[in-house]
Amino acid sequence: MTYTEVPGARVPIRMWADPATVEPVAMQQLRNVSTLPWIEGLAVMPDVHFGKGATVGSVIAMRGAVCPAAVGVDIGCGMSAVKTSLTANDLPGDLSRLRSKIEEAIPVGFAMHDDPVDPRRLHGLPTAGWDDFWGRFDGVAEAVKFRQGRAVKQMGTLGSGNHFVEFCLDGTGSVWLMLHSGSRNIGKELAEYHIGEARKLSHNQNLVDRDLAVFIADTPQMAAYRHDLFWAQEYARHNREIMMALFQDVVRKEFKKAKPMFEPVISCHHNYVAEETYEGVDLLVTRKGAIRAGGGEYGIIPGSMGTGSYIVRGLGNEASFNSASHGAGRRMSRNQAKKRFSEQDLAEQTRGVECRKDRGVVDEIPAAYKPIEQVMEQQRDLVEVVAKLKQIVCVKG
């Protein structure tokens, strides 16, 4: 579909979703964002739904300002995927051992590594700039510096919620490795600190929604946030790199006879800020639940834990600020899903997938998400499909 423009907004709100299906609270969030004097435009993805601070599935382009609550607390959250030389013929009949080995290598939930992961000991992982990256931690907000020890040990860990590690097959029977995570607790701590700082500023006192408090260019507060924001985005990228290297090590050991090889890793953020230029204007583009989909750029759009995911190539649609959806998008809250569905429902909807099927992950049941095929259909002018993946092992936080 092509986009629909929402009427009555101060700036263009271009929507790649049926407005009639968008929750009224999400639609109000979009209108609230459009009232900000720094806003240049909004693009709304087909996985749009209500979120804290700003709508999930929205792309917010601002001139000389950024809203930390719109970025959210999982700064740099995103996806990584890699195609392997393995095929379905290489797989054992029972995949439970593989799942256990992945869970042993990559801590999930609130767990962390007992000792920091040394990237120099991981096969093929680039380490250039590693010391400089940690050196720049000295410049983060003083209120968060005491968390460095935890941040070091959480590097290379999954977290909880909708984060996952998956072992997948594409339509040709080739095996892919895929994972979803972000900046862990350190990103959350930095985000919450700066959201609080933004709310104190005088220019934010009369906003229609206090969650829309912004930092303005050429101020000390903006400089401090930009430093911490971009550092946390880099942390998230490194976190996924280390997890993928650990994942690949598991696969090498478990499929030693097949001697697996790996293509270059595809990686993309979907909760982040980027400096981009449109029609000659320099903008700060916040993608909250959206990926960059510039012309020829690869991206990853996951579905739920029982459906499937897509590797895509961007079409460079500037009306969307070169963006596309970040996934299927929730159609009901976690609490609603827990009340509505049982462990039996989860088992039925994840049949054929080696994964947790207990009460602790019922809120991640496929029926709690929008149909991924519908989401993909609505953004045919944003991305083209390279491969469709179906998970056969899913490790959840």
Side-chain angles (χ1 to χ4, degrees):
M1 64 177 286
T2 56
Y3 66 83
T4 300
E5 192 157 322
V6 177
R10 192 183 67 82
V11 296
I13 302 179
R14 305 184 186 105
M15 183 173 290
W16 277 262
D18 180 356
T21 66
V22 180
E23 312 145 283
V25 286
M27 190 65 79
Q28 187 58 53
Q29 277 190 319
L30 295 168
R31 292 186 182 278
N32 288 347
V33 171
S34 75
T35 66
L36 295 175
W38 309 273
I39 199 84
E40 291 287 313
L42 281 163
V44 184
M45 302 296 102
D47 58 342
V48 58
H49 60 278
F50 176 77
K52 182 172 174 55
T55 320
V56 179
S58 64
V59 182
I60 304 169
M62 302 179 75
R63 188 191 298 211
V66 67
C67 173
V71 183
V73 296
D74 197 357
I75 297 171
C77 185
M79 302 286 305
S80 293
V82 62
K83 186 178 182 179
T84 79
S85 60
L86 298 173
T87 70
N89 294 330
D90 296 311
L91 306 183
D94 183 0
L95 292 168
S96 59
R97 173 185 164 90
L98 176 60
R99 176 186 154 204
S100 295
K101 291 298 181 180
I102 296 169
E103 291 170 340
E104 287 176 15
I106 301 174
V108 304
F110 293 105
M112 63 186 82
H113 293 283
D114 293 333
D115 298 301
V117 176
D118 183 351
R120 289 163 293 198
R121 300 182 66 179
L122 293 176
H123 188 280
L125 186 68
T127 58
W130 189 254
D131 291 338
D132 174 68
F133 164 72
W134 282 112
R136 282 186 278 117
F137 189 84
D138 290 340
V140 305
E142 288 291 335
V144 181
K145 282 187 178 178
F146 75 103
R147 294 292 191 187
Q148 183 172 10
R150 185 176 184 181
V152 172
K153 290 186 177 182
Q154 282 193 332
M155 179 69 79
T157 66
L158 186 65
S160 57
N162 62 354
H163 295 161
F164 62 78
V165 178
E166 289 185 342
F167 194 86
C168 309
L169 294 175
D170 67 17
T172 69
S174 293
V175 169
W176 289 68
L177 314 183
M178 186 164 67
L179 57 85
H180 171 209
S181 191
S183 54
R184 305 296 284 109
N185 183 256
I186 192 65
K188 175 178 178 291
E189 295 273 355
L190 288 168
E192 289 177 342
Y193 169 78
H194 286 289
I195 289 169
E197 291 299 294
R199 286 174 174 166
K200 299 174 187 177
L201 299 175
S202 58
H203 62 262
N204 290 320
Q205 298 312 303
N206 296 313
L207 300 175
V208 294
D209 181 348
R210 67 193 302 263
D211 279 335
L212 297 180
V214 304
F215 293 119
I216 300 175
D218 302 320
T219 63
Q221 295 89 352
M222 172 67 111
Y225 179 60
R226 284 171 63 97
H227 175 278
D228 292 0
L229 169 73
F230 291 131
W231 184 88
Q233 289 178 183
E234 195 172 346
Y235 180 102
R237 178 173 60 82
H238 286 312
N239 185 40
R240 291 194 296 273
E241 287 173 343
I242 287 180
M243 278 192 288
M244 184 58 79
L246 294 170
F247 194 2
Q248 289 178 0
D249 279 351
V250 170
V251 171
R252 286 189 186 94
K253 292 173 183 176
E254 292 301 300
F255 298 91
K256 190 177 296 184
K257 289 184 179 179
K259 298 180 179 178
M261 295 182 291
F262 305 92
E263 294 189 2
V265 176
I266 299 168
S267 184
C268 60
H269 291 322
H270 55 222
N271 275 10
Y272 75 112
V273 176
E275 299 169 323
E276 298 177 6
T277 302
Y278 293 91
E279 297 182 353
V281 179
D282 294 333
L283 300 174
L284 286 165
V285 178
T286 299
R287 294 183 176 91
K288 182 172 184 175
I291 64 171
R292 181 171 164 86
E297 297 176 355
Y298 285 93
I300 308 162
I301 302 177
S304 66
M305 63 188 287
T307 54
S309 303
Y310 289 86
I311 306 298
V312 299
R313 188 182 296 113
L315 297 177
N317 189 326
E318 292 205 357
S320 72
F321 299 104
N322 289 321
S323 304
S325 78
H326 84 311
R330 298 193 72 94
R331 60 180 175 184
M332 64 180 68
S333 71
R334 295 186 180 279
N335 286 335
Q336 287 174 317
K338 288 177 180 178
K339 291 176 182 176
R340 182 168 176 179
F341 298 108
S342 66
E343 291 173 63
Q344 182 179 347
D345 295 324
L346 178 64
E348 290 174 356
Q349 293 183 30
T350 58
R351 187 179 290 114
V353 181
E354 172 60 42
C355 64
R356 287 178 60 187
K357 301 179 192 285
D358 57 84
R359 190 69 191 165
V361 291
V362 167
D363 56 341
E364 283 292 299
I365 193 169
Y369 286 84
K370 297 177 182 179
I372 186 63
E373 291 79 11
Q374 174 187 314
V375 169
M376 298 304 298
E377 175 65 22
Q378 290 175 310
Q379 55 185 343
R380 286 184 300 167
D381 61 339
L382 304 182
V383 292
E384 59 181 352
V385 174
V386 174
K388 181 178 181 180
L389 311 183
K390 178 67 177 74
Q391 67 272 75
I392 53 176
V393 177
C394 177
V395 173
K396 297 291 286 190

